[in-house]
């Protein structure tokens, strides 16, 4: 990681979300290192190998991009797969693009679940994304990322073992 990126991570107003693959947790921190909240998140892919399409979420540093909300105009399979929210993740260390993968993000939902839009749906494997409970996206993650971005700051995500 470059020195300029290290400094950028500490700029007042930035937030950092640390997602642990082995613990299946997500913790949000402000730029002073104060933990804002902790919840569950899953980085397990349907293919166990991070180098395969549909594999685990690659480890590394990401920047939150666009926050998208699905609408009733979307096809049902979009709602089933992603739930109501999708936050684009932009790799900052080549951990995604270096593996020939593209389109990783954070979302809820879950095709095949009884109700993939429920706030407390069970977490199921993804195809490389980070899966959250819909309620945690709605109450914790989306408001934090949106507020951070609206204030002109950056939301970072680190995926770890």
């Amino acid at each position: 990681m470059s020195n300029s990126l290290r400094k950028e991570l500490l700029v007042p107003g930035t937030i950092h979300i640390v997602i642990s693959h082995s613990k299946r947790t997500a913790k949000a921190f402000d730029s002073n290192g104060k933990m804002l909240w902790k919840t569950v998140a899953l980085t397990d892919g349907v293919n166990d190998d991070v180098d395969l399409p549909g594999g685990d979420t690659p480890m590394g540093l990401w920047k939150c991009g666009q926050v998208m909300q699905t609408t009733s105009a979307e096809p049902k399979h979009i709602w089933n797969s992603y739930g109501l929210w999708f936050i684009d993740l932009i790799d900052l260390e080549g951990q995604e693009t270096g593996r020939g993968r593209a389109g990783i993000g954070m979302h809820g939902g879950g095709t095949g679940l009884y109700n993939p839009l429920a706030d407390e749906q069970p977490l199921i494997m993804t195809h490389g994304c980070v899966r959250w409970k819909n309620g945690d996206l709605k109450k914790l993650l989306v408001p934090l990322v949106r507020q951070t971005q609206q204030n002109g700051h950056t939301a970072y995500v680190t995926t770890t073992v």
Side-chain angles (χ1 to χ4, degrees):
M1 178 186 325
S2 70
N3 284 338
S4 63
L5 185 54
R6 278 193 190 107
K7 289 177 186 175
E8 190 177 322
L9 289 170
L10 300 173
V11 169
T14 61
I15 60 158
H16 201 120
I17 300 153
V18 179
I19 300 171
S20 169
H21 175 75
S22 61
K23 294 178 184 173
R24 295 183 170 170
T25 59
K27 297 177 184 177
F29 297 91
D30 68 14
S31 58
N32 294 314
K34 177 184 173 195
M35 188 166 71
L36 305 172
W37 45 256
K38 176 183 175 182
T39 191
V40 296
L42 187 70
T43 60
D44 296 11
V46 293
N47 291 325
D48 209 17
D49 188 334
V50 72
D51 291 319
L52 293 175
D56 295 345
T57 308
M59 302 299 124
L61 180 64
W62 310 80
K63 179 175 150 179
C64 289
Q66 186 176 3
V67 178
M68 296 168 267
Q69 183 175 13
T70 59
T71 68
S72 58
E74 305 278 352
K76 187 177 179 185
H77 75 276
I78 298 293
W79 283 36
N80 288 342
S81 297
Y82 301 115
L84 296 173
W85 298 99
F86 185 90
I87 300 174
D88 185 38
L89 289 178
I90 302 161
D91 69 341
L92 298 176
E93 301 173 316
Q95 68 273 23
E96 176 188 5
T97 53
R99 290 183 165 86
R101 296 171 70 174
I104 292 176
M106 298 187 289
H107 62 83
T111 302
L113 295 176
Y114 172 70
N115 182 359
L117 300 179
D119 280 357
E120 294 300 320
Q121 90 283 10
L123 293 178
I124 62 172
M125 293 179 171
T126 71
H127 290 91
C129 293
V130 180
R131 186 164 319 260
W132 294 69
K133 290 188 175 187
N134 293 319
D136 290 341
L137 279 165
K138 180 170 59 178
K139 295 176 208 156
L140 300 174
L141 186 62
V142 168
L144 183 62
V145 171
R146 277 188 162 169
Q147 178 184 14
T148 301
Q149 291 175 339
Q150 287 170 354
N151 290 336
H153 299 293
T154 305
Y156 293 98
V157 174
T158 296
T159 49
T160 67
V161 179

